[in-house]
Amino acid sequence: MTQDRLLSRRSFLASSGIAVAFALAGPALAQHAGGGEGGAGPAVVAPELLGSLKSWPHLDAWIQIDAVGHATVFTGKAELGQGIKTALLQVAAEELDLEPGKVTVVTVDTDLTPDEGLTAGSHSMQDSGTAIRNAAANVRMLLIQNAAARLNVSVDHLETQGDGTIRAADGRSLSYAEIASSLALHVKAIPNAPLRQTEHFRTMGRSIPRLDIPAKTTGGQAFIHDMRLPGMLHARVVRGPSEGTRLKLPERSEIEAMPGLVKFVQHGSFQAVLANKEWDAIRLMRKLQASPFELARAEFPTGSVEETLKSLPAKDIVILDVHKPAADPVETVAAKYSRHWISHGSIGPSCALAWLRGDILTIWTHSQGTFDVRRVAADLLRYPIEKIRAIHVEGSGCYGQNGADDVAAEAALIAMSVPGRPIRLQWMREQEFGWEPLGPGMITEVQAGLDASKRIVTWKYEVWSNPHNNRPVNAGGVLVGSEVVPAFPVPVGKPIPMPEGDGSRNSNPLYDLPNMNVLYHFIKDMPVRVSALRSLGAHLNVFSIESMFDELALVGDVDPLDLRLAHMSDERARRVMESATQAFGWRSRKKETPMHGFGMAFARYKNIGAYFAVCLEVKVEQNTGQISVVRAEASIDCGEPVSPDGIRNQVEGAIIQSLSWCTREAVGRTPSLRTTFDWSGYPILRFLDIPGNINVSIEPQPGAPFLGVAECGQGPTSAALANAVADATGVRFRDMPITPATVRAAVVNL
């Protein structure tokens, strides 16, 4: 791919039949930072509109129709492998009433698309899908109005035909191409443009081939790692083995004499090598990384998660405090649950390309915050933001803030030192494991009571966590920002307010409980580098809540499903629980052998997103502690389904990733170093270990708002596994990861 081949908004409009003024305003360094996961996000200028139309209300910010009647759709959300590009295309095609083949989707590019904040938190369909749906409905409405004027008929006598034509009751017709040249789309959307009804859908609700899959399955250019630019140099950063360490390099003159080196880049303690060939860059990096290193900060704590977190100062935030009349408890259960610090485990190490041509710096990045990459680069380089363009390109493995933002800033800095030459910077596997922000370790404590009629009457819940939202919006948020001289201050972590929450996410049960006290111990000081990882605190919070429900069910001798249904009035929540358990055969489940068990769990993501329930059947090998998931049965309600196959893909991925987190993943460390640098030290679920069968049913919700899918399954799946293992073994495991060694130690002598 070359920059010249990339579609520019100017070149697109030059080839279209439309004359419009641009809806995209000029950028500003401090505005619109973050967003999409509890951050500030783009400013709201049209609160009466839906989704991201609130911030970008003009139709031409989202949709253009060219001289042949084809549509180009612009989204500020990125394709991360979740299939969003395909789903958004379906949304646009449906509301424009065009064949999908006549719609092109342009994903996040700071020169072309609206700034919709981060692509995170399962917000893409809620934000961008809703905006595109309503923008497309507005455009279709304008096309019909234009046709009515030309044909001198009422709009009530016109219908779109699904192929880019509008036909009148008398048989006359006009094509979108014939109308496009006279249709101005630099107009503000109206909130009530008529939407197409579910029973008339031609594209939404169907599974069409995903746009991002062919290159991935045929060895094509699928990821940023595959990009090559003419005259490109290869770069590698030279750092100590893990965060907090600093190398003692040889004299600069000695480094610059090394064969194969094109340039040694040094700013403060940031160092990188440039070479014409990638292998030369790796070889040079390896040689320099053999230099002695020192720990440049205080030693890291190596105690348990509980010891570490409770030793740090916390700010207490009351999440929920409900008191209603209820009977006194006759049975009380108290338990602690924990999750260790975990890695993103991205299959591809972080990578970025950058190119300074003239005075324009272009950055290609797989960060979830492409607009923030631009802001960070402008801050770091003290360079006019108008002269920086950031373009998202898919990376292989993206589950939050891994090293993608760091490597993009580093590539920008390096590119400024070799004007006119594109550079490609890729971290090595050990650098990704050694330096990326981790998913925070967390602990919870729960105390709950049952009355004589088996109803939960008391619920006291506490959660301790570092912030999960340290995504960079300026130079202080990336590694290189603290390495250059003068260094940029590292931003202070802040909690995300509910209902999104971060460590508090999903700590407030959706269940109807008369007395609930939920307290978030927010720990600002971070003993290790942490930031966003898929589902944030919902993973442990749902794990804890759903584990406690099973512990209460056991004490009360109540079926776990019945206990949940008895405390749930939300009909959509009840429906996914009943759907999953019916498909699973929950009521007729029967243990065939010892160490054979069943577990279920439920959550509504953030209590405002998708509803999700899952049942698991497991077998435990008593002599080894190995857990085998025989089958998984899931049910999801994510509002109006757009791409059923895409939804199933997302749920299947969430189940597999959650099982990996729950049974294997924990970052190791000593007081001075991380110790898990590759897949042998940091195992993840392998293909042979995935459930033998995963079924996903989708609850239809015609006309309901989109709710997003991606992160709804993380918490419930880990909880269902813990519940199933407890059912199989009679032993409750409350601390993740539930490894074979942990299980074996507990069950081998039973």
Side-chain angles (χ1 to χ4, degrees):
M1 181 188 294
T2 69
Q3 190 181 34
D4 294 333
R5 292 176 58 190
L6 293 170
L7 176 70
S8 74
R9 197 173 188 85
R10 179 173 298 175
S11 64
F12 167 77
L13 289 168
S15 64
S16 76
I18 311 157
V20 297
F22 296 140
L24 300 182
L29 183 59
Q31 75 181 91
H32 300 165
E37 198 166 44
V44 171
V45 297
E48 74 279 11
L49 298 178
L50 297 174
S52 297
L53 277 172
K54 292 177 188 292
S55 302
W56 305 98
H58 288 81
L59 300 180
D60 62 339
W62 301 94
I63 295 170
Q64 300 289 343
I65 297 179
D66 66 19
V68 296
H70 292 189
T72 299
V73 177
F74 302 91
T75 173
K77 299 295 185 181
E79 175 63 61
L80 306 173
Q82 80 279 44
I84 193 65
K85 191 172 184 179
T86 307
L88 294 179
L89 182 144
Q90 289 184 252
V91 170
E94 186 61 63
E95 291 299 341
L96 289 170
D97 207 12
L98 269 175
E99 298 105 317
K102 293 181 178 177
V103 179
T104 299
V105 176
V106 177
T107 55
V108 58
D109 178 330
T110 59
D111 269 13
L112 302 177
T113 66
D115 180 357
E116 293 189 81
L118 297 166
T119 303
S122 298
H123 272 270
S124 292
M125 288 303 293
Q126 290 172 294
D127 297 346
S128 202
T130 301
I132 289 171
R133 184 177 192 186
N134 283 274
N138 270 267
V139 171
R140 183 167 51 84
M141 179 186 70
L142 295 178
L143 286 164
I144 292 174
Q145 291 174 349
N146 187 291
R150 287 174 176 231
L151 298 174
N152 195 27
V153 297
S154 165
V155 294
D156 297 334
H157 292 85
L158 293 171
E159 287 187 354
T160 54
Q161 301 298 303
D163 59 356
T165 61
I166 302 169
R167 182 170 297 169
D170 59 11
R172 291 179 296 160
S173 66
L174 285 170
S175 69
Y176 290 5
E178 292 173 285
I179 298 172
S181 62
S182 62
L183 189 69
L185 294 182
H186 189 60
V187 295
K188 187 176 174 182
I190 64 170
N192 56 350
L195 301 175
R196 287 177 54 74
Q197 299 302 300
T198 305
E199 61 269 28
H200 299 141
F201 282 177
R202 306 181 203 271
T203 306
M204 277 173 49
R206 293 171 45 209
S207 294
I208 67 173
R210 276 178 50 174
L211 303 174
D212 60 314
I213 294 297
K216 295 174 183 174
T217 55
T218 61
Q221 182 176 292
F223 303 113
I224 193 169
H225 309 76
D226 304 318
M227 281 185 65
R228 297 294 184 272
L229 296 170
M232 187 174 74
L233 294 169
H234 291 272
R236 286 294 187 278
V237 291
V238 182
R239 285 198 172 99
S242 69
E243 70 164 312
T245 60
R246 183 168 53 205
L247 286 172
K248 299 176 181 177
L249 291 184
E251 294 295 325
R252 185 181 184 100
S253 57
E254 184 178 337
I255 297 172
E256 290 180 336
M258 294 169 69
L261 181 77
V262 171
K263 189 177 182 72
F264 177 60
V265 179
Q266 186 171 34
H267 294 273
S269 60
F270 173 78
Q271 295 133 165
V273 291
L274 277 166
N276 285 308
K277 296 181 179 178
E278 186 172 17
W279 178 242
D280 283 340
I282 294 171
R283 181 178 53 79
L284 291 161
M285 179 206 69
R286 293 273 188 238
K287 187 167 184 178
L288 292 174
Q289 281 195 320
S291 305
F293 67 88
E294 61 185 359
L295 185 62
R297 53 168 286 180
E299 289 191 345
F300 298 96
T302 56
S304 69
V305 181
E306 180 176 5
E307 291 169 344
T308 300
L309 293 182
K310 286 192 172 179
S311 69
L312 297 168
K315 175 185 177 183
D316 290 349
I317 301 171
V318 176
I319 301 298
L320 203 58
D321 195 22
V322 176
H323 300 282
K324 295 180 182 176
D328 291 332
V330 296
E331 294 276 6
T332 300
V333 179
K336 298 179 179 180
Y337 306 90
S338 72
R339 185 186 83 164
H340 206 278
W341 287 272
I342 61 177
S343 171
H344 291 76
S346 301
I347 299 299
S350 294
C351 180
L353 284 76
W355 192 356
L356 179 64
R357 289 201 297 180
D359 62 352
I360 301 297
L361 175 67
T362 304
I363 307 166
W364 290 267
T365 174
H366 59 108
S367 164
Q368 295 178 322
T370 304
F371 279 86
D372 287 336
V373 164
R374 184 194 200 193
R375 282 183 274 267
V376 168
D379 194 29
L380 176 70
L381 306 174
R382 304 187 191 285
Y383 201 68
I385 193 169
E386 293 81 6
K387 295 183 182 298
I388 301 175
R389 178 184 186 184
I391 303 169
H392 183 269
V393 182
E394 197 174 349
S396 49
C398 181
Y399 314 111
Q401 188 195 337
N402 57 2
D405 299 274
D406 295 307
V407 79
E410 293 159 8
L413 183 66
I414 295 169
M416 296 299 285
S417 70
V418 283
R421 296 289 299 272
I423 70 104
R424 177 184 181 276
L425 172 62
Q426 180 176 310
W427 278 8
M428 305 301 288
R429 167 62 54 205
E430 70 270 18
Q431 289 176 329
E432 190 76 36
F433 273 117
W435 288 89
E436 69 161 19
L438 304 177
M442 296 174 59
I443 57 171
T444 62
E445 293 182 1
V446 194
Q447 181 173 310
L450 288 173
D451 68 9
S453 59
K454 315 297 185 187
R455 292 199 62 85
I456 302 170
V457 290
T458 59
W459 183 270
K460 187 175 188 303
Y461 187 96
E462 295 179 82
V463 53
W464 287 258
S465 176
N466 285 141
H468 293 241
N469 187 32
N470 301 309
R471 293 178 185 272
V473 294
N474 55 43
V478 289
L479 285 172
V480 64
S482 59
E483 293 172 334
V484 296
V485 178
F488 293 82
V490 176
V492 176
K494 297 178 181 177
I496 300 175
M498 295 293 271
E500 298 271 345
D502 61 325
S504 55
R505 181 170 292 182
N506 272 107
S507 61
N508 50 336
L510 191 66
Y511 296 103
D512 307 311
L513 308 179
N515 294 290
M516 289 185 281
N517 181 269
V518 178
L519 187 61
Y520 178 22
H521 303 284
F522 173 76
I523 302 167
K524 171 177 65 63
D525 298 321
M526 294 163 276
V528 296
R529 190 180 186 220
V530 294
S531 191
L533 178 59
R534 207 173 192 192
S535 80
L536 308 190
H539 181 231
L540 182 66
N541 287 324
V542 173
F543 177 89
S544 305
I545 293 169
E546 292 294 299
S547 292
M548 176 53 73
F549 259 72
D550 264 41
E551 298 205 44
L552 290 167
L554 183 64
V555 168
D557 193 24
V558 184
D559 186 277
L561 172 62
D562 291 333
L563 187 69
R564 287 172 171 83
L565 292 176
H567 294 85
M568 179 59 68
S569 59
D570 187 316
E571 286 300 324
R572 292 172 71 172
R574 295 176 64 89
R575 199 169 301 131
V576 295
M577 283 194 263
E578 289 166 346
S579 172
T581 51
Q582 286 173 11
F584 186 78
W586 180 264
R587 298 290 187 190
S588 59
R589 68 192 188 281
K590 184 177 180 182
K591 293 187 180 185
E592 297 173 352
T593 60
M595 299 291 156
H596 178 216
F598 307 88
M600 68 159 295
F602 157 83
R604 184 183 186 190
Y605 188 46
K606 296 183 272 191
N607 287 355
I608 56 173
Y611 298 83
F612 181 82
V614 63
C615 302
L616 299 179
E617 177 182 353
V618 305
K619 291 183 178 178
V620 178
E621 173 55 52
Q622 189 169 10
N623 290 327
T624 64
Q626 189 71 38
I627 303 167
S628 300
V629 180
V630 179
R631 60 189 176 109
E633 190 74 48
S635 178
I636 181 170
D637 172 354
C638 56
E640 176 109 57
V642 173
S643 173
D645 189 49
I647 293 168
R648 293 190 180 94
N649 295 162
Q650 287 279 282
V651 172
E652 290 166 1
I655 289 172
I656 291 169
Q657 185 178 46
S658 181
L659 292 177
S660 183
W661 288 355
C662 187
T663 60
R664 285 160 173 78
E665 299 189 32
V667 171
R669 69 170 319 119
T670 68
S672 57
L673 288 177
R674 295 184 190 178
T675 56
T676 44
F677 293 110
D678 57 31
W679 302 117
S680 62
Y682 189 86
I684 60 173
L685 206 70
R686 304 302 175 103
F687 284 112
L688 292 175
D689 301 316
I690 65 174
N693 196 5
I694 303 177
N695 292 318
V696 182
S697 58
I698 302 168
E699 287 296 315
Q701 291 291 348
F706 305 138
L707 294 179
V709 177
E711 300 176 339
C712 66
Q714 256 65 25
T717 303
S718 288
L721 182 83
N723 290 337
V725 172
D727 184 52
T729 64
V731 178
R732 170 62 59 175
F733 296 92
R734 302 185 177 96
D735 303 306
M736 292 185 277
I738 306 171
T739 64
T742 303
V743 175
R744 182 183 185 279
V747 306
V748 68
N749 292 321
L750 291 179

